Amino acid sequence: MSASPPPRTHPGTHSAAAPSNDGFVELIARTVVLRERNIDTDQIIPARFLTTTERKGLGRFAFNDWRALPDGSPNPDFVFNRPENAGAAILVAGRNFGCGSSREHAPWALTDLGLRAVISSEIADIFRSNSLKNGLLPIVVSQELLDELLDQPGIELRIDVRTRRLHLPDGRAIEFPLDAFAQTCLIEGVDQLGYLLRQLDTINQYEQRRATALNPRQENQHAR
């Protein structure tokens, strides 16, 4: 069997060759499909693996109870163990993906597995929020389109974060919801704290102006 071609890249485009927390404007990658509905966060990463705060390496525990047979050996039928899915960076999953308890380890495990986007007709709110904080783009589409994507595993899609559009192989461009702040963080590769830290100079300048306005006499004394 010949190796699957890697995702095409150019400046500003994410490569799925290795896990990355870098920002991206565009993602061109193949899909991997999990048809099951109601995949919860404990199925994404079982609770027994939540003792670490290290993100790196969590990918090997993603979908652990599905990836391994009872004797601990890899399940050859599970999609993430199949060689044709190596390098796929877009997960297409059944309705209500990411339900269950809140755990940031879920998007950590998925991004460490090499994924940068999840497509479903319904994505749990808390999982969606955690994903956007950790460089994983959740895309909600109609059930009709999801059924179409579930029936075509391995197709190449193009996701344009700047225009909020999902481009299909037949030329259709589907707009998906993404708020402006989350969009900025994805493009710049930061979370909320990282975004604030990038504005530190501006924040300090504001605080200095505010202090001067509130106590101009003290500022005049410093000037002397």
Side-chain angles (χ1 to χ4, degrees), residues 18-96:
S20 172
N21 288 325
D22 294 336
F24 63 100
V25 174
E26 185 180 65
L27 171 66
I28 302 172
R30 291 176 296 107
T31 65
V32 56
V33 166
L34 278 175
R35 302 187 65 88
E36 289 81 1
R37 295 186 175 193
N38 304 312
I39 296 175
D40 63 36
T41 51
D42 195 56
Q43 291 166 318
I44 296 171
I45 183 164
R48 62 187 180 276
F49 300 119
L50 305 185
T51 56
T52 180
T53 56
E54 280 290 325
R55 306 183 187 194
K56 188 174 182 181
L58 277 179
R60 69 184 183 273
F61 303 127
F63 305 109
N64 184 83
D65 294 345
W66 293 351
R67 293 171 76 180
L69 296 172
D71 65 0
S73 61
N75 178 358
D77 295 326
F78 186 61
V79 292
F80 282 101
N81 292 339
R82 298 184 64 83
E84 65 267 25
N85 291 323
I90 302 172
L91 173 62
V92 178
R95 180 178 175 273
N96 196 27

Side-chain angles (χ1 to χ4, degrees), residues 151-162:
D151 288 338
Q152 301 180 74
I155 62 171
E156 186 175 83
L157 301 177
R158 180 166 68 90
I159 299 170
D160 191 324
V161 179
R162 198 177 299 280

